[in-house]
Amino acid sequence: MDSLTIAAIATPVGMGGIGIIRISGADALPIARSVFIRAAAPDDGGERTALPPVPESHRFYHGYIRASETDRILDEVLLVLMRAPRSYTREDVVEIHAHAGPAALRAILNLVLKQGARLAGPGEFTRRAFLNGRIDLTQAEGVMDMISAQTDRSLDIATAQLRGGLGDAVAAIREPLSRILAHTEAAIDFPEDVGEEIDADDLLRALTRRVIRPLETLAERYEDGHILRDGLSVVVAGRPNVGKSSLMNVLLRQDRAIVTPIPGTTRDTLEEQLSIRGIPVMLSDTAGLHETSDPVEKIGIERACARLEAAELVLFMTDAGLPPTEQDHAICQMIRHKPVIWVINKVDLVEKPFVPNIPDEWAAWPRIGISARHGDGIDALRDLIAETVLTSSLECESVVIPNLRHRVAIEESLASLREAVSGIDAGMPFELVNIDVREAFDRLGDILGITVREDVLDHIFSNFCIGK
Ligand SMILES: Nc1nc2c(c(=O)[nH]1)N(C=O)[C@@H](CNc1ccc(C(=O)N[C@@H](CCC(=O)O)C(=O)O)cc1)CN2
Ligand SMILES: Nc1nc2c(ncn2[C@@H]2O[C@H](COP(=O)(O)OP(=O)(O)OP(=O)(O)O)[C@@H](O)[C@H]2O)c(=O)[nH]1
Ligand SMILES: [Mg+2]
């Protein structure tokens, strides 16, 4: 990566009150100077002036952006300089706060680029913050999650990560591991000095207690983090016509799915993201499950089954006015190992829902009567979903493992540590054990971005938006 000064529009495209152009690098100030003139301040005798030779850091200057060739004023702006290292990237940063409008901002950006800045790549400001040591890689990833967070809970996770929660947890495990590593390496390099002193039992105890167990605890939190980040996969399943699509619509508060009295209305799987009591949910409506010879319906039902396989919570729906059928029992066979809420729909049609001698499995599921058509019981259903999710898997702690990259690194680290342990148990020489310990240590370094490869960095930051 080059060390050129970079620039980009930092605010969203579109119309808004204010838009910000951000410039970072050694030339940020000279570039800003060449495009900016200060507004006439009364105590300057009404003269427009250039920026002072040494502008104050973190102070707003009021003025204009001027194209030097044409002398044309492009916009009235506020400009702020943040002197290295007291800036987001730890380089000199200049922000131009202009009127937001796609054309206006682009014109200013073009001017800045003409003065020698390069257009920033996706996430490049944050990448520089990382490379210059202001934040670790998990914090950089937290920045990204923060931007894409759509619900309060995913926001909580991103904020914790941004503050360094995960990074600190990993660093706290990496630290004792580094001491163990130093020890085993010394044993190799100077066997006559320390070789005798290393006690295999002590080593095993330290590895297990200080490293392996804390790492295992951290790994367990991945699932929770993933749910809060990508949304819990909730699938509505049941026979045709029980009201699945109606429930989808009422939960989404919009007419998303087609609803008709004709069984077999929903043919394909529909999927929408929503927030239920602050929990991000990916909700799927599926084709009614039953035996059919219709080839289109068949495909829809196959898709529904595939979706059910992957579901993290199933809303199993029956019709309050109808007795359970063979079909219902077949569906239950499919979902019996999953968390299920039994949703009895159309309670508006009956005095009492139809629940005669149901199988044990059904009886064990939390059950709720609703009317998807009239909205009865929907709030209670939302509560029940949140409660089921929170009590079954999600214990939202401040430190969770939110992405696959982290999980893979932790799993690899654990695998190497277990190798090391069995090596020590088997009385292998430290030279060999040390290879595994070093490997485990490096995988933890990957999480923080200490030992991570350039192409991995490219991949992570390519998911960012330009200007961040
Ligand atoms: N106008 C503006 N608003 C913004 C940002 C920005 O870059 N510009 N941010 C961009 O994401 C966020 C705020 N995050 C920031 C994080 C660190 C530093 C920073 O300058 N840190 C230095 C020095 C801090 C100090 O002296 O107080 C450091 O930590 O070394 C700035 C912004 C959100 N709002
Ligand atoms: N009375 C009453 N009718 C309902 C209720 N919920 C849905 N319906 C009606 O039941 C019929 C079927 O509803 P859908 O939501 O299309 O049912 P579905 O389960 O998606 O049906 P398929 O897509 O064919 O599997 C429609 O006529 C709805 O208006 C309810 O709570 N009460
Ligand atoms: Mg439907």
Side-chain angles (χ1 to χ4, degrees):
M1 206 174 63
D2 60 62
S3 56
L4 260 177
T5 297
I6 52 173
I9 298 169
T11 41
V13 190
M15 285 178 289
I18 292 163
I20 299 177
I21 287 151
R22 183 150 63 165
I23 312 169
S24 177
D27 289 333
L29 182 55
I31 290 171
R33 198 188 293 289
S34 69
V35 301
F36 179 81
I37 42 167
R38 284 180 81 181
D43 52 353
D44 291 339
E47 284 293 307
R48 289 180 177 180
T49 57
L51 273 177
V54 186
E56 261 179 71
S57 185
H58 291 79
R59 171 196 196 281
F60 272 117
Y61 288 92
H62 175 208
Y64 305 90
I65 298 297
R66 188 184 55 181
S68 49
E69 311 99 78
T70 57
D71 249 8
R72 197 163 72 90
I73 300 284
L74 293 183
D75 199 359
E76 180 177 4
V77 302
L78 287 173
L79 180 146
V80 60
L81 164 70
M82 287 160 272
R83 264 284 190 219
R86 281 190 53 207
S87 74
Y88 184 66
T89 56
R90 283 208 170 156
E91 303 172 331
D92 275 357
V93 169
V94 169
E95 289 183 356
I96 299 171
H97 294 225
H99 292 104
L105 288 178
R106 235 176 289 132
I108 299 174
L109 177 63
N110 276 332
L111 202 58
V112 167
L113 297 178
K114 252 190 229 150
Q115 297 300 320
R118 167 172 72 68
L119 184 65
E124 199 169 353
F125 293 94
T126 304
R127 187 174 184 146
R128 287 186 177 195
F130 161 68
L131 291 173
N132 293 328
R134 195 177 69 74
I135 52 176
D136 69 35
L137 197 52
T138 66
Q139 289 174 293
E141 290 170 307
V143 169
M144 165 80 169
D145 288 348
M146 179 102 194
I147 292 171
S148 50
Q150 303 238 11
T151 65
D152 291 350
R153 274 177 171 271
S154 36
L155 185 62
D156 283 348
I157 294 226
T159 327
Q161 200 173 326
L162 204 57
R163 276 194 254 110
L166 176 63
D168 289 349
V170 172
I173 298 173
R174 197 167 168 271
E175 207 268 328
L177 188 57
S178 81
R179 273 185 278 123
I180 292 170
L181 190 62
H183 228 63
T184 53
E185 271 172 2
I188 298 169
D189 295 340
F190 314 102
E192 57 287 349
D193 296 344
V194 269
E196 300 304 312
E197 288 169 29
I198 293 194
D199 179 83
D201 283 341
D202 285 348
L203 191 59
L204 277 178
R205 205 169 314 120
L207 267 180
T208 311
R209 252 196 230 152
R210 310 287 309 271
V211 184
I212 296 180
R213 274 198 217 129
L215 209 51
E216 283 169 344
T217 309
L218 207 54
E220 281 162 17
R221 300 201 196 142
Y222 166 76
E223 295 303 331
D224 304 352
H226 136 76
I227 287 170
L228 292 178
R229 192 167 180 269
D230 305 328
L232 179 86
S233 163
V234 177
V235 177
V236 192
R239 279 151 54 197
N241 222 34
V242 290
K244 298 180 295 299
S245 301
S246 304
L247 177 61
M248 173 98 170
N249 289 345
V250 69
L251 284 175
L252 283 172
R253 300 189 170 93
Q254 71 180 57
D255 263 333
R256 172 70 179 83
I258 300 173
V259 169
T260 76
I262 307 160
T265 297
T266 305
R267 297 243 161 159
D268 208 346
T269 305
L270 285 179
E271 205 178 55
E272 286 291 336
Q273 252 188 325
L274 75 157
S275 164
I276 294 180
R277 302 277 182 260
I279 300 166
V281 163
M282 182 62 86
L283 183 68
S284 305
D285 176 24
T286 57
L289 297 168
H290 69 125
E291 291 296 330
T292 176
S293 53
D294 179 321
V296 179
E297 238 188 334
K298 263 201 164 110
I299 298 172
I301 289 171
E302 274 165 24
R303 289 190 180 178
C305 293
R307 196 53 59 103
L308 266 182
E309 291 269 322
E312 286 161 311
L313 173 67
V314 178
L315 303 182
F316 168 57
M317 186 178 268
T318 59
D319 184 323
L322 303 173
T325 63
E326 269 312 303
Q327 196 56 58
D328 289 317
H329 293 294
I331 296 171
C332 290
Q333 279 309 306
M334 294 173 58
I335 60 178
R336 45 198 266 257
H337 298 299
K338 302 216 169 248
V340 175
I341 294 176
W342 179 11
V343 180
I344 304 166
N345 190 30
K346 309 196 189 184
V347 290
D348 55 294
L349 294 181
V350 295
E351 288 282 315
K352 260 187 97 186
F354 204 101
V355 280
N357 53 19
I358 47 168
D360 290 349
E361 268 153 18
W362 298 34
W365 292 331
R367 132 177 35 141
I368 185 168
I370 66 160
S371 167
R373 179 183 276 178
H374 301 289
D376 305 324
I378 299 299
D379 271 334
L381 175 60
R382 285 200 180 91
D383 289 337
L384 189 56
I385 293 173
E387 193 190 305
T388 309
V389 172
L390 293 173
T391 52
S392 62
S393 67
L394 285 181
E395 293 199 27
C396 181
E397 307 213 19
S398 59
V399 179
V400 294
I401 302 174
N403 78 34
L404 199 57
R405 184 183 82 81
H406 302 147
R407 182 170 72 166
V408 169
I410 288 178
E411 292 299 342
E412 286 175 354
S413 183
L414 273 172
S416 297
L417 289 166
R418 291 185 186 121
E419 281 293 311
V421 165
S422 50
I424 297 168
D425 272 338
M428 283 209 315
F430 280 127
E431 278 91 337
L432 295 182
V433 172
N434 191 61
I435 294 172
D436 291 320
V437 178
R438 155 69 54 188
E439 186 68 23
F441 183 73
D442 284 348
R443 293 292 77 73
L444 294 186
D446 286 351
I447 297 177
L448 301 172
I450 295 169
T451 43
V452 79
R453 295 196 322 256
E454 191 79 6
D455 59 327
V456 176
L457 285 186
D458 286 343
H459 178 75
I460 291 171
F461 286 102
S462 68
N463 289 321
F464 276 61
C465 42
I466 290 187
K468 190 59 228 180

